[in-house]
Amino acid sequence: MTTAAAVHTSGSALPVVLEAVELHRVAMPLVRPFETSFGRQTARDVLLVRVLTDAGEGWGECVAMADPFYSSEYVEGCSAVIRDYLAPALLAAQTVRAPDVAGLLDFVVGHRMAKAALETAVLDAQLRAAGVSFGEYFGAVRPEVDCGVSVGIAPSIDALLEEVAGYRDEGYRRIKLKIKPGWDLEPVAAVRTLLGPDALLQVDANTAYTIADIDHLRELDAFGLLLIEQPFVEEDIAAHVRLARAIDTPVCLDESITSVGVAIDAIERDATAIVNIKAGRVGGYLEAIRIHDACLDRDVPVWCGGMLETGLGRAANVALAALPGFTLPGDTSASNRYFADDLTESFVLVDGRLAVPAGPGSGVTVRAELLAEWRSRPTQLITRV
Ligand code: NPQ
Ligand code: MG
């Protein structure tokens, strides 16, 4: 028996008076290149938002990539829309509470990743001042979360097997393989043989296929996958309905799910049997919780996606993944999956799990010396006009 998570919107956090917004940019080298159907990344170009308030500071991480290849948003676009539209609107409102942020920013169409970073920073400031953790505020029901790992397209099957075996030995509870046309049945078959029939294994296509590939994708049914994630373009819910009818492997949407309304529509149409929740993609943690609640009501399992976050974004994801409906391991990997050293306290895998931070707000602290060392652009300060 589970109880629906309730956001503690009253009592636990007072509004804050917003005094300024800072935009920080860091370049973090990846421990190994990460290749997906949309390209190969060797570094993470991260935008961080810091809000300065009467009650203290708050931090939010923007999940947008350097290039608009996973989504239409990208780092420079997020930085510009925050500087020119979003931060000025919040600064004009002066007194803000995280649950009001989405409404205050609604006049800007889209730009959810940019909005999410700001909302998270405001929430972090409020909760730090109130002494309440993200986990408590979100309604976490467990002290640690089961973790999976996302494995990029490799140069060869042998290299893939070596990488997957390493993650298995580290204790990850689920493996996700990135696939694309020409890199699907063969790597999946090889990894299934390596891991054995009981290992949790899933695939992510990042929109690389079309409905002409349905017969081909049906061949994945032979490998007992947990799910196939986002095979078709984000706008095409109907194509995913057709695939779901044609194959046994559950279809799971990622890029397509941009709001709780879209999530409910996709579920009701049987386009998605499982939902990947990424707070950045849907405009923030509060919308992510609404999606979680809608899925829990409908018995649709959810799991927490990942966007190569630093410890800052990872902390919030781990807190989200502790809600009751997150019944599948997420892409909430340890810091060392991506980075040699993290921008905050490192997240370390223990028995295939990460601990939900217990401190106020995100519960982690940005390491000022590393922020300075990895800074890739001058910090921008936005104040009330
Ligand atoms: C996904 N994430 O589920 C994304 C895609 C992704 C962990 O597989 C830089 C920034 C590189 C964000 C590569 C995972 C990225 C990125 C892939 C997101 O679809
Ligand atoms: Mg995905």
Side-chain angles (χ1 to χ4, degrees), residues 4 91 118 193 230 249 270 285 287 371 380:
L91 288 162
L118 261 175
T193 301
Q230 198 72 42
T249 304
D270 292 323
Y285 286 89
E287 184 74 359
L371 188 68
Q380 299 187 56

Side-chain angles (χ1 to χ4, degrees), residues 32 149-152 154 156-177 187 190-196 199-201 337 349:
R32 63 205 313 164
V149 59
S150 178
V151 186
S156 67
I157 299 284
D158 281 348
L160 176 72
L161 294 178
E162 189 184 319
E163 188 177 350
V164 169
Y167 295 136
R168 174 199 59 195
D169 296 347
E170 285 181 60
Y172 284 104
R173 290 170 178 264
R174 181 225 69 192
I175 299 289
K176 159 169 140 181
L177 302 181
V191 169
R192 175 52 86 198
T193 301
L194 172 76
L195 298 177
L200 303 185
L201 180 63
R337 156 66 184 89
L349 203 67

Side-chain angles (χ1 to χ4, degrees), residues 176 178 204 206 229 254-255 276 278:
K176 159 169 140 181
K178 292 294 191 178
D204 186 359
N206 289 112
E229 186 178 344
D254 171 4
E255 287 88 331
N276 168 333
K278 287 177 179 164

Side-chain angles (χ1 to χ4, degrees), residues 15-183:
V16 291
V17 180
L18 200 57
E19 286 157 0
V21 176
E22 281 177 1
L23 300 181
H24 294 260
R25 281 283 285 283
V26 290
M28 292 177 62
L30 295 174
V31 291
R32 63 205 313 164
F34 190 38
E35 185 172 333
T36 65
S37 61
F38 56 79
R40 192 166 188 266
Q41 317 291 314
T42 55
R44 185 72 173 100
D45 178 352
V46 196
L47 170 65
L48 301 175
V49 175
R50 178 176 179 235
V51 294
L52 307 175
T53 82
D54 65 327
E57 65 172 5
W59 289 86
E61 176 167 344
C62 182
V63 301
M65 298 177 51
D67 306 297
F69 299 162
Y70 163 85
S71 64
S72 62
E73 289 188 86
Y74 66 107
V75 177
E76 284 292 341
C78 289
S79 188
V81 81
I82 293 171
R83 182 193 64 220
D84 297 339
Y85 297 96
L86 306 179
L90 283 195
L91 288 162
Q94 302 201 22
T95 302
V96 291
R97 299 159 60 247
D100 301 332
V101 169
L104 289 166
L105 303 182
D106 194 45
F107 73 102
V108 170
V109 177
H111 293 284
R112 291 179 176 86
M113 293 175 178
K115 291 173 178 176
L118 261 175
E119 183 192 87
T120 306
V122 169
L123 183 61
D124 186 49
Q126 276 187 270
L127 296 187
R128 279 178 194 273
V132 174
S133 70
F134 278 0
E136 285 172 77
Y137 182 83
F138 293 166
V141 294
R142 52 184 89 94
E144 68 251 329
V145 302
D146 287 357
C147 298
V149 59
S150 178
V151 186
I153 291 164
S156 67
I157 299 284
D158 281 348
L160 176 72
L161 294 178
E162 189 184 319
E163 188 177 350
V164 169
Y167 295 136
R168 174 199 59 195
D169 296 347
E170 285 181 60
Y172 284 104
R173 290 170 178 264
R174 181 225 69 192
I175 299 289
K176 159 169 140 181
L177 302 181
K178 292 294 191 178
I179 60 168
K180 66 175 182 182
W183 181 264

